[in-house]
Amino acid sequence: QVQLVESGGGSVQAGASLTLSCAASGSIFGRLIMAWYRQTPGKQRELVAGITRGGNTNYNDSVKGRFTISRDNAKNTVYLQMNSLKPEDTAVYYCNANPTILAWGQGTQVTVSS
């Protein structure tokens, strides 16, 4: 069973940057399309960014040009570099495969104040 542990969240001012990390256990990581998702209270979890095994990426329109997803298959880790953060980026961020076949981790809270 793959376990996901997200970290790197925090409380920042608008315009700041954060880098999230997601460490995954298990050898299956390198074979999966991985993604970052986020959720705010009362809303469905949404896809933020995804990355294939080979490094091809896709982004939610709301974060294009500001966020960058990357992965290190040797470390079983996926990252999300978030620049120019906006208050509307405030959410709990999770990583998972795409589709979401893995058990969800605890997520990491990102709070952006104006």
Side-chain angles (χ1 to χ4, degrees), residues 10-97:
S11 296
V12 298
Q13 295 282 330
S17 298
L18 284 173
T19 300
L20 307 183
S21 299
C22 171
S25 63
S27 59
I28 193 176
F29 175 86
R31 302 199 296 271
L32 296 174
I33 297 172
M34 294 299 295
W36 283 95
Y37 302 81
R38 65 187 180 188
Q39 187 170 28
T40 54
K43 293 188 177 181
Q44 284 193 328
R45 206 167 293 184
E46 67 172 354
L47 177 69
V48 176
I51 185 166
T52 68
R53 293 168 291 179
N56 292 318
T57 59
N58 66 285
Y59 297 92
N60 186 304
D61 285 346
S62 66
V63 307
K64 279 181 181 176
R66 300 188 298 121
F67 290 11
T68 302
I69 188 171
S70 61
R71 66 190 295 165
D72 185 335
N73 290 332
K75 295 182 178 179
N76 282 8
T77 302
V78 61
Y79 305 96
L80 186 68
Q81 173 68 43
M82 305 186 296
N83 297 327
S84 302
L85 282 161
K86 302 176 180 180
E88 51 263 45
D89 295 319
T90 295
V92 179
Y93 285 72
Y94 303 86
C95 70
N96 206 312

